[in-house]
Amino acid sequence: MTVTAPGTDAPSEPAAEAPTGVPVRRPSAIWILIAGLAGLAASFTLTVEKIETLINPDYVPSCSINPVLSCGSVMITPQASLLGFPNPLLGVVAFSVVVVTGVLALARVELPRWYWAALAAGTLLGAAFVHWLIFQSLYRIGALCPYCMVVWAVTIPLLVVVAAIAVAPERGGAVARGLYTWRWSLVALWFTALTLLILVRFWSYWSTLV
């Protein structure tokens, strides 16, 4: 039995552990959700279009607009099924995770930092895969898939937002803070470079439309 001396405080309760969740600003949560929904819609639509082409070889996908913007030309290539199944299935799974993450973040659920680090790593792998597909589309296949381009357009900004949450630039070094400061300028530069590459690669066709 423990006796507490008069005038002294009773033994205090063990201090509660500090929360490990990472707060996410509302604009970031909204962007994650929007990017996830856009990527999921594009991936799901591509999956449906791929199934239709398998059922009916004469089927013309809705995104086959002209010789350059043509999902059909892309779907039949080996690059469209890199792992032995249609690439859009990867997008359906990955963007479903992003949508759930966006909903949780918007609901103020503070996910642990390791989760954001894992999501940033996964998004980085996705961005690398996207750039490989961009190269293949421009210089090997010679056609652009509009729905794929939606995935391209949301992946890079998504990487920027998720990485900013995971890295916590205020606690990082000078490089992390510099990348955070210039993150949207880098995204704008990426979009500009990609647009120029597309214009130059297919200029012989675009010029006929002028």
Side-chain angles (χ1 to χ4, degrees):
M1 178 177 179
T2 302
V3 179
T4 302
T8 61
D9 295 333
S12 58
E13 295 293 331
E17 293 185 1
T20 58
V22 178
V24 178
R25 295 178 179 178
R26 187 174 180 82
S28 295
I30 292 174
W31 170 247
I32 292 172
L33 180 57
I34 291 175
L37 289 173
L40 180 59
S43 299
F44 181 78
T45 304
L46 274 172
T47 301
V48 172
E49 297 280 16
K50 178 63 176 180
I51 293 173
E52 291 288 348
T53 58
L54 292 175
I55 295 174
N56 179 12
D58 296 325
Y59 175 75
V60 179
S62 61
C63 46
S64 293
I65 302 170
N66 56 47
V68 172
L69 299 175
S70 175
C71 291
S73 301
V74 177
M75 286 181 182
I76 61 175
T77 64
Q79 294 93 325
S81 301
L82 184 63
L83 300 180
F85 54 85
N87 295 339
L89 291 176
L90 290 173
V92 170
V93 174
F95 284 112
S96 294
V97 174
V98 175
V99 169
V100 172
T101 303
V103 171
L104 293 175
L106 203 57
R108 303 290 186 183
V109 176
E110 296 187 357
L111 300 168
R113 190 168 298 281
W114 65 261
Y115 177 88
W116 290 107
L119 185 60
T123 309
L124 181 61
L125 287 175
F129 185 47
V130 159
H131 282 80
W132 181 80
L133 290 174
I134 291 173
F135 176 83
Q136 295 296 321
S137 295
L138 291 178
Y139 304 110
R140 295 294 181 266
I141 302 172
L144 298 172
C145 166
Y147 293 136
C148 301
M149 295 172 70
V150 172
V151 174
W152 303 353
V154 299
T155 298
I156 297 303
L158 179 64
L159 175 62
V160 167
V161 173
V162 173
I165 298 172
V167 173
E170 68 277 2
R171 301 191 309 177
V175 174
R177 290 193 297 270
L179 289 174
Y180 180 79
T181 300
W182 294 96
R183 65 194 188 284
W184 293 116
S185 297
L186 293 174
V187 170
L189 182 62
W190 181 86
F191 275 105
T192 302
L194 181 56
T195 301
L196 289 175
L197 287 174
I198 292 173
L199 287 174
V200 171
R201 173 63 180 84
F202 300 107
W203 181 249
S204 59
Y205 176 75
W206 305 130
S207 60
T208 63
L209 303 179
V210 179

Short mmCIF file of all heavy atoms in Angstrom, two decimals, residues 3-49:
data_model
loop_
_atom_site.label_atom_id
_atom_site.label_comp_id
_atom_site.label_asym_id
_atom_site.label_seq_id
_atom_site.Cartn_x
_atom_site.Cartn_y
_atom_site.Cartn_z
N VAL A 3 1.41 5.17 0.63
CA VAL A 3 0.87 6.29 1.41
C VAL A 3 1.40 7.58 0.85
O VAL A 3 2.60 7.73 0.68
CB VAL A 3 1.26 6.16 2.90
CG1 VAL A 3 0.70 7.34 3.68
CG2 VAL A 3 0.74 4.84 3.47
N THR A 4 0.51 8.48 0.58
CA THR A 4 0.91 9.78 0.05
C THR A 4 1.06 10.76 1.19
O THR A 4 0.15 10.97 1.99
CB THR A 4 -0.15 10.32 -0.92
OG1 THR A 4 -0.32 9.35 -1.96
CG2 THR A 4 0.29 11.63 -1.53
N ALA A 5 2.23 11.36 1.29
CA ALA A 5 2.50 12.31 2.37
C ALA A 5 1.62 13.52 2.22
O ALA A 5 1.33 13.96 1.10
CB ALA A 5 3.97 12.71 2.36
N PRO A 6 1.17 14.09 3.36
CA PRO A 6 0.34 15.30 3.29
C PRO A 6 1.06 16.41 2.54
O PRO A 6 2.26 16.61 2.70
CB PRO A 6 0.13 15.66 4.76
CG PRO A 6 0.38 14.39 5.53
CD PRO A 6 1.41 13.66 4.76
N GLY A 7 0.33 17.13 1.74
CA GLY A 7 0.89 18.27 1.02
C GLY A 7 1.58 17.92 -0.27
O GLY A 7 2.12 18.78 -0.94
N THR A 8 1.58 16.61 -0.60
CA THR A 8 2.21 16.21 -1.86
C THR A 8 1.14 15.76 -2.82
O THR A 8 0.06 15.32 -2.42
CB THR A 8 3.22 15.07 -1.65
OG1 THR A 8 2.51 13.94 -1.13
CG2 THR A 8 4.31 15.48 -0.67
N ASP A 9 1.43 15.88 -4.10
CA ASP A 9 0.48 15.48 -5.12
C ASP A 9 0.39 13.98 -5.21
O ASP A 9 1.37 13.26 -4.98
CB ASP A 9 0.89 16.04 -6.49
CG ASP A 9 0.81 17.56 -6.49
OD1 ASP A 9 0.01 18.10 -5.72
OD2 ASP A 9 1.59 18.17 -7.27
N ALA A 10 -0.77 13.48 -5.55
CA ALA A 10 -0.95 12.06 -5.77
C ALA A 10 -0.21 11.66 -7.04
O ALA A 10 0.03 12.49 -7.92
CB ALA A 10 -2.43 11.74 -5.91
N PRO A 11 0.19 10.39 -7.13
CA PRO A 11 0.89 9.94 -8.35
C PRO A 11 0.06 10.25 -9.59
O PRO A 11 -1.13 9.98 -9.64
CB PRO A 11 1.01 8.41 -8.13
CG PRO A 11 0.94 8.24 -6.65
CD PRO A 11 0.03 9.31 -6.15
N SER A 12 0.70 10.86 -10.54
CA SER A 12 0.00 11.27 -11.76
C SER A 12 -0.20 10.09 -12.68
O SER A 12 0.56 9.11 -12.65
CB SER A 12 0.79 12.37 -12.49
OG SER A 12 2.07 11.90 -12.81
N GLU A 13 -1.23 10.18 -13.53
CA GLU A 13 -1.51 9.15 -14.51
C GLU A 13 -0.46 9.22 -15.61
O GLU A 13 0.08 10.30 -15.91
CB GLU A 13 -2.89 9.35 -15.12
CG GLU A 13 -4.03 9.17 -14.12
CD GLU A 13 -4.14 7.74 -13.66
OE1 GLU A 13 -3.79 6.83 -14.43
OE2 GLU A 13 -4.57 7.52 -12.50
N PRO A 14 -0.13 8.09 -16.24
CA PRO A 14 0.84 8.14 -17.36
C PRO A 14 0.35 9.07 -18.45
O PRO A 14 -0.84 9.11 -18.78
CB PRO A 14 0.87 6.67 -17.85
CG PRO A 14 0.39 5.86 -16.68
CD PRO A 14 -0.59 6.74 -15.95
N ALA A 15 1.27 9.85 -18.98
CA ALA A 15 0.91 10.81 -20.03
C ALA A 15 0.44 10.07 -21.29
O ALA A 15 1.01 9.05 -21.68
CB ALA A 15 2.12 11.69 -20.39
N ALA A 16 -0.59 10.58 -21.88
CA ALA A 16 -1.12 9.97 -23.10
C ALA A 16 -0.14 10.21 -24.25
O ALA A 16 0.51 11.24 -24.33
CB ALA A 16 -2.48 10.56 -23.44
N GLU A 17 -0.04 9.23 -25.12
CA GLU A 17 0.86 9.37 -26.25
C GLU A 17 0.34 10.44 -27.21
O GLU A 17 -0.86 10.57 -27.41
CB GLU A 17 0.97 8.04 -27.00
CG GLU A 17 1.68 6.97 -26.18
CD GLU A 17 1.88 5.70 -27.00
OE1 GLU A 17 1.49 5.71 -28.18
OE2 GLU A 17 2.42 4.73 -26.47
N ALA A 18 1.27 11.21 -27.77
CA ALA A 18 0.90 12.25 -28.72
C ALA A 18 0.34 11.60 -29.99
O ALA A 18 0.80 10.54 -30.41
CB ALA A 18 2.11 13.11 -29.08
N PRO A 19 -0.67 12.18 -30.58
CA PRO A 19 -1.24 11.62 -31.80
C PRO A 19 -0.20 11.58 -32.92
O PRO A 19 0.63 12.48 -33.04
CB PRO A 19 -2.38 12.57 -32.14
CG PRO A 19 -2.05 13.85 -31.42
CD PRO A 19 -1.32 13.44 -30.19
N THR A 20 -0.23 10.52 -33.67
CA THR A 20 0.75 10.35 -34.75
C THR A 20 0.18 10.70 -36.12
O THR A 20 0.87 10.62 -37.11
CB THR A 20 1.26 8.90 -34.79
OG1 THR A 20 0.13 8.02 -34.98
CG2 THR A 20 1.97 8.54 -33.49
N GLY A 21 -1.10 11.06 -36.18
CA GLY A 21 -1.72 11.38 -37.45
C GLY A 21 -1.21 12.68 -38.02
O GLY A 21 -0.71 13.55 -37.31
N VAL A 22 -1.33 12.80 -39.34
CA VAL A 22 -0.86 14.00 -40.05
C VAL A 22 -2.08 14.81 -40.49
O VAL A 22 -2.91 14.31 -41.25
CB VAL A 22 -0.02 13.63 -41.28
CG1 VAL A 22 0.42 14.88 -42.03
CG2 VAL A 22 1.18 12.80 -40.86
N PRO A 23 -2.22 16.04 -40.02
CA PRO A 23 -3.34 16.87 -40.48
C PRO A 23 -3.14 17.28 -41.93
O PRO A 23 -2.02 17.57 -42.36
CB PRO A 23 -3.28 18.09 -39.55
CG PRO A 23 -1.86 18.16 -39.09
CD PRO A 23 -1.36 16.74 -39.04
N VAL A 24 -4.23 17.31 -42.68
CA VAL A 24 -4.18 17.67 -44.09
C VAL A 24 -5.07 18.87 -44.33
O VAL A 24 -6.23 18.90 -43.88
CB VAL A 24 -4.65 16.49 -44.98
CG1 VAL A 24 -4.64 16.89 -46.46
CG2 VAL A 24 -3.76 15.27 -44.75
N ARG A 25 -4.53 19.87 -45.01
CA ARG A 25 -5.33 21.06 -45.31
C ARG A 25 -6.45 20.70 -46.27
O ARG A 25 -6.31 19.83 -47.12
CB ARG A 25 -4.44 22.14 -45.92
CG ARG A 25 -3.39 22.69 -44.96
CD ARG A 25 -2.53 23.73 -45.64
NE ARG A 25 -1.53 24.28 -44.74
CZ ARG A 25 -0.63 25.18 -45.10
NH1 ARG A 25 -0.61 25.63 -46.35
NH2 ARG A 25 0.24 25.64 -44.22
N ARG A 26 -7.56 21.41 -46.12
CA ARG A 26 -8.74 21.11 -46.92
C ARG A 26 -8.47 21.19 -48.43
O ARG A 26 -8.92 20.30 -49.18
CB ARG A 26 -9.88 22.05 -46.53
CG ARG A 26 -11.22 21.69 -47.19
CD ARG A 26 -12.34 22.56 -46.66
NE ARG A 26 -13.61 22.22 -47.28
CZ ARG A 26 -14.39 21.23 -46.91
NH1 ARG A 26 -14.01 20.46 -45.90
NH2 ARG A 26 -15.53 20.98 -47.53
N PRO A 27 -7.76 22.22 -48.94
CA PRO A 27 -7.49 22.26 -50.39
C PRO A 27 -6.73 21.02 -50.87
O PRO A 27 -7.00 20.51 -51.96
CB PRO A 27 -6.67 23.54 -50.56
CG PRO A 27 -7.07 24.40 -49.41
CD PRO A 27 -7.29 23.46 -48.28
N SER A 28 -5.77 20.55 -50.07
CA SER A 28 -5.02 19.35 -50.46
C SER A 28 -5.93 18.14 -50.48
O SER A 28 -5.85 17.30 -51.39
CB SER A 28 -3.86 19.13 -49.48
OG SER A 28 -2.92 20.17 -49.55
N ALA A 29 -6.81 18.03 -49.48
CA ALA A 29 -7.74 16.90 -49.42
C ALA A 29 -8.68 16.91 -50.62
O ALA A 29 -8.95 15.86 -51.23
CB ALA A 29 -8.54 16.94 -48.12
N ILE A 30 -9.16 18.09 -50.98
CA ILE A 30 -10.06 18.21 -52.12
C ILE A 30 -9.34 17.81 -53.40
O ILE A 30 -9.89 17.08 -54.25
CB ILE A 30 -10.61 19.65 -52.24
CG1 ILE A 30 -11.56 19.95 -51.06
CG2 ILE A 30 -11.34 19.85 -53.57
CD1 ILE A 30 -12.03 21.39 -51.01
N TRP A 31 -8.09 18.27 -53.56
CA TRP A 31 -7.36 17.92 -54.78
C TRP A 31 -7.10 16.42 -54.85
O TRP A 31 -7.21 15.82 -55.93
CB TRP A 31 -6.05 18.69 -54.86
CG TRP A 31 -5.18 18.16 -55.96
CD1 TRP A 31 -4.00 17.51 -55.85
CD2 TRP A 31 -5.48 18.16 -57.36
NE1 TRP A 31 -3.54 17.13 -57.07
CE2 TRP A 31 -4.43 17.52 -58.02
CE3 TRP A 31 -6.55 18.66 -58.12
CZ2 TRP A 31 -4.41 17.35 -59.40
CZ3 TRP A 31 -6.53 18.49 -59.49
CH2 TRP A 31 -5.46 17.85 -60.12
N ILE A 32 -6.74 15.80 -53.74
CA ILE A 32 -6.51 14.35 -53.74
C ILE A 32 -7.77 13.62 -54.18
O ILE A 32 -7.72 12.69 -54.99
CB ILE A 32 -6.06 13.88 -52.35
CG1 ILE A 32 -4.67 14.42 -52.03
CG2 ILE A 32 -6.06 12.35 -52.25
CD1 ILE A 32 -4.22 14.18 -50.60
N LEU A 33 -8.91 14.05 -53.67
CA LEU A 33 -10.17 13.41 -54.04
C LEU A 33 -10.49 13.62 -55.52
O LEU A 33 -10.88 12.67 -56.22
CB LEU A 33 -11.30 13.96 -53.17
CG LEU A 33 -12.70 13.37 -53.43
CD1 LEU A 33 -12.70 11.86 -53.27
CD2 LEU A 33 -13.74 14.01 -52.50
N ILE A 34 -10.32 14.84 -56.01
CA ILE A 34 -10.60 15.13 -57.42
C ILE A 34 -9.67 14.33 -58.33
O ILE A 34 -10.10 13.73 -59.32
CB ILE A 34 -10.46 16.63 -57.70
CG1 ILE A 34 -11.58 17.42 -57.00
CG2 ILE A 34 -10.48 16.92 -59.20
CD1 ILE A 34 -11.44 18.91 -57.11
N ALA A 35 -8.38 14.30 -58.00
CA ALA A 35 -7.42 13.55 -58.81
C ALA A 35 -7.76 12.07 -58.81
O ALA A 35 -7.68 11.39 -59.85
CB ALA A 35 -6.00 13.77 -58.27
N GLY A 36 -8.15 11.56 -57.64
CA GLY A 36 -8.51 10.16 -57.55
C GLY A 36 -9.73 9.83 -58.38
O GLY A 36 -9.77 8.81 -59.09
N LEU A 37 -10.74 10.68 -58.32
CA LEU A 37 -11.98 10.45 -59.09
C LEU A 37 -11.72 10.53 -60.59
O LEU A 37 -12.23 9.71 -61.36
CB LEU A 37 -13.05 11.46 -58.68
CG LEU A 37 -13.66 11.28 -57.28
CD1 LEU A 37 -14.57 12.45 -56.94
CD2 LEU A 37 -14.42 9.96 -57.19
N ALA A 38 -10.93 11.53 -61.01
CA ALA A 38 -10.63 11.68 -62.44
C ALA A 38 -9.83 10.49 -62.95
O ALA A 38 -10.13 9.93 -64.01
CB ALA A 38 -9.86 12.98 -62.68
N GLY A 39 -8.81 10.08 -62.20
CA GLY A 39 -8.00 8.95 -62.60
C GLY A 39 -8.79 7.65 -62.60
O GLY A 39 -8.63 6.82 -63.50
N LEU A 40 -9.66 7.49 -61.61
CA LEU A 40 -10.48 6.28 -61.53
C LEU A 40 -11.47 6.22 -62.69
O LEU A 40 -11.66 5.16 -63.30
CB LEU A 40 -11.22 6.23 -60.20
CG LEU A 40 -12.13 5.02 -59.96
CD1 LEU A 40 -11.33 3.73 -60.03
CD2 LEU A 40 -12.83 5.14 -58.60
N ALA A 41 -12.10 7.35 -63.00
CA ALA A 41 -13.06 7.38 -64.11
C ALA A 41 -12.37 7.05 -65.42
O ALA A 41 -12.90 6.26 -66.23
CB ALA A 41 -13.72 8.76 -64.18
N ALA A 42 -11.18 7.63 -65.66
CA ALA A 42 -10.46 7.36 -66.89
C ALA A 42 -10.02 5.90 -66.97
O ALA A 42 -10.15 5.26 -68.02
CB ALA A 42 -9.24 8.28 -67.00
N SER A 43 -9.51 5.36 -65.88
CA SER A 43 -9.05 3.98 -65.86
C SER A 43 -10.21 3.01 -66.04
O SER A 43 -10.10 2.02 -66.79
CB SER A 43 -8.32 3.68 -64.54
OG SER A 43 -7.20 4.50 -64.38
N PHE A 44 -11.32 3.29 -65.38
CA PHE A 44 -12.49 2.41 -65.49
C PHE A 44 -13.04 2.43 -66.92
O PHE A 44 -13.39 1.38 -67.48
CB PHE A 44 -13.57 2.84 -64.50
CG PHE A 44 -14.80 1.97 -64.54
CD1 PHE A 44 -14.80 0.73 -63.92
CD2 PHE A 44 -15.94 2.39 -65.21
CE1 PHE A 44 -15.93 -0.08 -63.97
CE2 PHE A 44 -17.07 1.58 -65.26
CZ PHE A 44 -17.07 0.35 -64.63
N THR A 45 -13.11 3.62 -67.51
CA THR A 45 -13.61 3.74 -68.88
C THR A 45 -12.71 3.00 -69.86
O THR A 45 -13.20 2.31 -70.77
CB THR A 45 -13.71 5.22 -69.29
OG1 THR A 45 -14.54 5.92 -68.36
CG2 THR A 45 -14.31 5.36 -70.68
N LEU A 46 -11.41 3.12 -69.67
CA LEU A 46 -10.48 2.40 -70.54
C LEU A 46 -10.64 0.88 -70.39
O LEU A 46 -10.53 0.14 -71.36
CB LEU A 46 -9.04 2.79 -70.19
CG LEU A 46 -8.49 4.04 -70.90
CD1 LEU A 46 -7.14 4.41 -70.31
CD2 LEU A 46 -8.37 3.79 -72.39
N THR A 47 -10.88 0.44 -69.16
CA THR A 47 -11.09 -1.00 -68.93
C THR A 47 -12.32 -1.48 -69.67
O THR A 47 -12.31 -2.54 -70.32
CB THR A 47 -11.24 -1.28 -67.42
OG1 THR A 47 -10.06 -0.84 -66.73
CG2 THR A 47 -11.43 -2.77 -67.16
N VAL A 48 -13.41 -0.70 -69.60
CA VAL A 48 -14.64 -1.07 -70.30
C VAL A 48 -14.41 -1.09 -71.81
O VAL A 48 -14.86 -2.01 -72.52
CB VAL A 48 -15.78 -0.09 -69.93
CG1 VAL A 48 -17.01 -0.35 -70.80
CG2 VAL A 48 -16.14 -0.22 -68.46
N GLU A 49 -13.70 -0.08 -72.31
CA GLU A 49 -13.42 -0.02 -73.75
C GLU A 49 -12.57 -1.22 -74.19
O GLU A 49 -12.79 -1.78 -75.27
CB GLU A 49 -12.69 1.28 -74.08
CG GLU A 49 -13.49 2.55 -73.82
CD GLU A 49 -14.48 2.84 -74.95
OE1 GLU A 49 -14.77 1.94 -75.75
OE2 GLU A 49 -14.96 3.98 -75.03
#
